Amino acid sequence: MAPPPNTYSESWWGGKEERGTPVVVKMDNPYSLVEIDGPGMAAPSEKARGKNAKQLTWVLLLRAHRAVGCVAWLAAGFWAVLGAVNRRVRRSRDADAEPDAEASGRDRAMLRFLRGFLLLSLAHARLRDEKYLRRLPEHLQHLPEHLRRHLPEHLRMPEKEEIEGWLHRAYVAWLAFRIDYIAWAIQKLSGFCIALFMVQSVDRLVLCLGCFWIKLRGIKPVADTSISNDDIEATAGDGGGYFPMVLIQMPMCNEKEVYETSISHVCQIDWPRERMLVQVLDDSDDETCQMLIKAEVTKWSQRGVNIIYRHRLNRTGYKAGNLKSAMSCDYVRDYEFVAIFDADFQPNPDFLKLTVPHFKGNPELGLVQARWSFVNKDENLLTRLQNINLCFHFEVEQQVNGVYLSFFGFNGTAGVWRIKALEDSGGWMERTTVEDMDIAVRAHLNGWKFIFLNDVKVLCELPESYQAYRKQQHRWHSGPMQLFRLCLPAVFKSKISTWKKANLVMLFFLLRKLILPFYSFTLFCVILPLTMFVPEAELPIWVICYVPVIMSVLNILPAPKSFPFVIPYLLFENTMSVTKFNAMVSGLFQLGSSYEWVVTKKAGRTSSESDILALAEAADADARPPQAKLHRGVSEGGLKEWAKLHKEQEDATAAAAAAAAAAAPGTPVKKSKAAKAPNRIFKKELALAFLLLTAATRSLLSAQGLHFYFLLFQGVTFLAVGLDLIGEQVS
């Protein structure tokens, strides 16, 4: 006969403890203590009761201590955040007080209004929840039968006699209107946005699979390195080889911080000097900057580099007008290819030797595009997040489209064009702010092919301030909509295949330039917070969490070192959807800001690990006399001119101060100090931060866990961006 089961076990304090059949208890009130007797659970002795009471007391005290500590920590953190926000707002207000006191007063009034409205909303939500959540079943008696099916099952339907008062009937009427009209509209719009979201996710997944296949099979463009007799005769003085005539254009405008580094890198490209011409295309309206750039060009010209300086009196057409003006020179007809570098790009000496040979034996090839790399990608959080986006753009989008379609958007710089392709496509046009995408689309419609070289990298800078990045993104997202509206008839009239037309319209323009900012802004910044106030239109969890996280992980794969930033990247991309959506709408409907062109502010970063000047000095130490060594820094003539202008400005300031002191002897003279760049307030981001944080509060009171965390973190991200707390403030 089997022995009876042992119902005793050793407890953690050494005594014996009775065991019985396990019982799972679900308690509606977590703060009540319930004593449960089950089979095999005998009544404990008085001694055991005393021990249990003491242990329970200590456990409760310990948990209460932890709860109090947690609350104190949260309160201290919240207070610190409020203090930082207050200091930031005061600093911005003080910086703007002198130039525009009236605007500052309006900002202070707006801030006080927002604070009061937030407190009033929180108090109203709290009172409303306490009042109606207790008596909600009593307020729903008048709902029609088809509306009762939408209510949770645990709500009791009281009799009509329990409902009293016109306020109750008004509330019930509001619920009916909300379910029939508001919730219906939100559900239809959210369903449409979710469908767009899934289509864009599938497109991104296909691009990632294409990139994986390219990596797996080692697919990449191969240049023709063979040397013909014509090449030997054409370059007999250079030892033979394929060295066609190459024109290098460097458009710039008021970019003192980077012009010297960029010119020095371009002038040291390894190419026969008689077969290369450098055009420095200066649109600067700052006379000091003009003199500095002209002095730098003179310095390199004296060292034997074939370089010229061109300056326009006005900026008609911006960059497109600058390039168009340069291409109209008579000597351009002697050149076969043109390479373009913006003012902050630093090409390696072998750039032309790695790109130009791809044109040999390939008469249909119109463009060879190199990849960008960044000298300041680890400068701050903003540059890290930009690096994630651009790595995916080059590694996945550009490479896959280049390999499988022979078409992609020209990036505007770090590329080599066949001049014949530019001329056949109509040349540079000034009709949009994305002249690079414009010329690429027109060349594609004329049958020219493109090649993207992922292993040829050119150093450049990322914008380090949010304001500069915001303006850059506005231009990059309003321009494609201008171009889409202008070139759509030409696409349907072109002779390219139907598949290429569909790819150009549906994928290149609509999906990646229009649909992406539309659904990102509408779904995560508008619909999601509204569902907290209209619970009948709740979004599924997989739309809020699972799919966005998966897509963010796919975006980070080309930059694996940035994996710890996957959550900040997801939140920041949703925040930037406001700027992108606004730019998309302004470009599509020809609003005033769509033609705004602001030069992206540069900081003048250089890469210490790839100092091209040091490499050039080491390579040419034997062939160059000591006095001809290359030096970084402004040329002597430029320094003298700059010092002269600076001295004149200081003298003028001192004279004005002396005159003011003589006019008012009793008035103290205020000492001037270096102006610190104030933090700016971005009102659109702050308005959405207010909406999201209010929705997060509502979600917390409704006990919706995941929605609360997403809304809270997204609202905090909007708040940080709206107060200009991300990136560097560049004056």
Side-chain angles (χ1 to χ4, degrees), residues 44 50 74 110 183 266 272 288 315-317 440 461 520 522 553 612 682 724:
L74 290 176
M110 178 62 70
V266 168
T288 304
R315 292 187 63 202
T316 303
E461 275 192 40
S520 182
T522 307
V553 171
I612 188 173
F682 301 100
D724 200 12

Side-chain angles (χ1 to χ4, degrees), residues 479-497:
M481 291 299 98
Q482 301 173 23
L483 181 61
F484 174 68
R485 182 173 40 80
L486 293 173
C487 74
L488 188 60
V491 172
F492 290 110
K493 293 178 182 179
S494 65
K495 298 180 180 180
I496 60 176
S497 63

Side-chain angles (χ1 to χ4, degrees), residues 91 123 279 440 528 534 637:
R91 184 186 304 172
Q279 283 183 323
L528 179 58
V534 186

